[in-house]
């Protein structure tokens, strides 16, 4: 398996109405790597983050298909897996083996994590022999133990909110996406990074990834591409 842990490969977070390029972001060699794995002939499955957001999921899937074509890929098949068809799939491992590229879409981390759990995706995807691309929440949920960085109002102060939850087990790396866009965010009256995430990093290592940057795991090696920061034990350093 080739694993792409991306922040956003299609543009800057929260600026979706400002289309920066037609295809996938070619920065840091992403498209070049994608043409090696999964290759230029694509059979793609998009697994949604919000299972009941059908209109949004259809738009996202169509957008990915168009971007793949613009980037020089031949899209042979493009499916979406969400709440509409999840119960119809009796053998998920067999179903996903029909594809050579899986995209794990972005959204709310705990919501997507629960959907993946109900699907039984951790077991089904463990032997997948193609390429997997996580985007934002999809990347975060690739980890064995996911750091679900508080995101929505009230989450950072809710004593019942689980910040560390089981993920797909595809990597040991914990990614914090969109660092360029969210590094100065405030949440529940506190700084998202300095007052919340830095404190959570004691005993842990997080990688803050900017949009257009990514981490690739392939053939037992980890490659850091672009602007990425390591946050551990309350300290930040640029790789």
């Amino acid at each position: 398996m080739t694993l792409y842990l991306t922040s956003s490969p299609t543009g800057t977070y929260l600026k979706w109405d400002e289309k920066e390029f037609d295809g996938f972001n070619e920065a840091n060699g992403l498209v070049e790597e994608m043409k090696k794995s999964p290759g230029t002939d694509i059979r793609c499955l998009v697994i949604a983050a919000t299972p009941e957001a059908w209109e949004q999921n259809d738009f996202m899937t169509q957008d990915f298909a168009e971007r793949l074509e613009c980037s020089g890929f031949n899209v042979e098949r493009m499916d979406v897996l969400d709440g509409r068809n999840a119960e119809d799939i009796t053998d998920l491992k067999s179903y996903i083996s029909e594809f050579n590229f899986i995209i794990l879409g972005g959204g709310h981390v705990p919501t997507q994590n629960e959907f993946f759990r109900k699907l039984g995706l951790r077991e089904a995807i463990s032997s997948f022999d193609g390429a997997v691309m996580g985007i934002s929440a999809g990347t975060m949920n690739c980890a064995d133990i996911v750091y679900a960085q508080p995101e929505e109002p009230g989450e950072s102060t809710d004593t019942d909110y689980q910040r560390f939850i089981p993920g797909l087990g595809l990597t040991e790396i914990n990614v914090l996406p969109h660092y360029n866009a969210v590094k100065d965010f405030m949440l529940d009256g506190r700084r998202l990074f300095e007052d919340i995430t830095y404190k959570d990093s004691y005993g842990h290592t997080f990688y803050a990834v900017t949009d257009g940057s990514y981490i690739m795991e392939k053939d037992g090696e980890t490659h850091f591409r672009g602007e990425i920061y390591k946050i551990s034990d309350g300290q930040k350093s640029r790789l």
Side-chain angles (χ1 to χ4, degrees):
M1 179 191 298
T2 300
L3 181 63
Y4 300 102
L5 302 171
T6 79
S7 176
S8 172
T10 58
T12 304
Y13 180 58
L14 298 180
K15 294 184 178 180
W16 310 126
D17 57 338
E18 302 175 16
K19 195 169 185 179
E20 300 171 40
F21 34 81
D22 292 328
F24 277 73
N25 192 345
E26 296 185 3
N28 302 304
L30 176 62
V31 173
E32 181 181 352
E33 291 293 347
M34 289 168 62
K35 289 182 177 179
K36 298 175 185 175
S37 177
T40 55
D41 293 326
I42 297 284
R43 301 183 307 281
C44 181
L45 174 65
V46 177
I47 305 181
T50 309
E52 304 309 322
W54 301 342
E55 184 176 351
Q56 174 185 311
N57 296 340
D58 286 342
F59 175 83
M60 173 181 63
T61 302
Q62 182 60 33
D63 183 61
F64 286 151
E66 292 173 358
R67 288 180 180 275
L68 285 166
E69 293 282 0
C70 286
S71 292
F73 296 91
N74 173 39
V75 180
E76 298 177 346
R77 181 176 175 183
M78 196 81 185
D79 288 10
V80 61
L81 174 56
D82 62 12
R84 288 169 291 186
N85 56 351
E87 293 185 358
D88 297 331
I89 299 170
T90 56
D91 186 342
L92 184 61
K93 182 180 291 188
S94 176
Y95 174 65
I96 66 175
S97 70
E98 299 173 11
F99 303 89
N100 62 358
F101 189 37
I102 294 176
I103 296 177
L104 307 174
H108 184 237
V109 174
T111 299
Q112 183 185 55
N113 187 278
E114 177 66 10
F115 181 48
F116 287 176
R117 187 192 65 78
K118 290 180 177 178
L119 285 172
L121 185 58
R122 179 179 175 119
E123 179 181 358
I125 205 171
S126 62
S127 58
F128 181 66
D129 194 30
V132 175
M133 174 179 285
I135 297 177
S136 190
T139 284
M140 297 169 78
N141 276 315
C142 283
D144 182 31
I145 300 297
V146 177
Y147 171 59
Q149 183 186 44
E151 175 184 358
E152 297 187 348
E155 287 183 342
S156 74
T157 57
D158 183 355
T159 56
D160 292 327
Y161 180 78
Q162 299 296 310
R163 301 191 187 190
F164 293 92
I165 52 181
L168 294 180
L170 300 180
T171 181
E172 297 296 325
I173 291 176
N174 287 119
V175 169
L176 305 174
H178 316 303
Y179 183 66
N180 54 308
V182 305
K183 60 185 178 66
D184 296 322
F185 272 18
M186 301 289 292
L187 182 66
D188 301 324
R190 295 184 293 171
R191 296 173 296 177
L192 175 61
F193 277 84
E194 289 82 353
D195 300 327
I196 299 173
T197 304
Y198 280 28
K199 291 183 179 180
D200 290 341
S201 74
Y202 283 90
H204 304 278
T205 298
F206 308 141
Y207 292 93
V209 179
T210 58
D211 295 331
S213 302
Y214 63 99
I215 301 170
M216 179 177 68
E217 293 195 340
K218 183 178 181 180
D219 299 329
E221 297 184 353
T222 301
H223 306 266
F224 297 90
R225 301 285 179 84
E227 185 180 352
I228 300 172
Y229 298 85
K230 178 181 177 180
I231 299 175
S232 184
D233 294 330
Q235 301 294 320
K236 181 187 76 172
S237 59
R238 181 168 176 171
L239 296 185

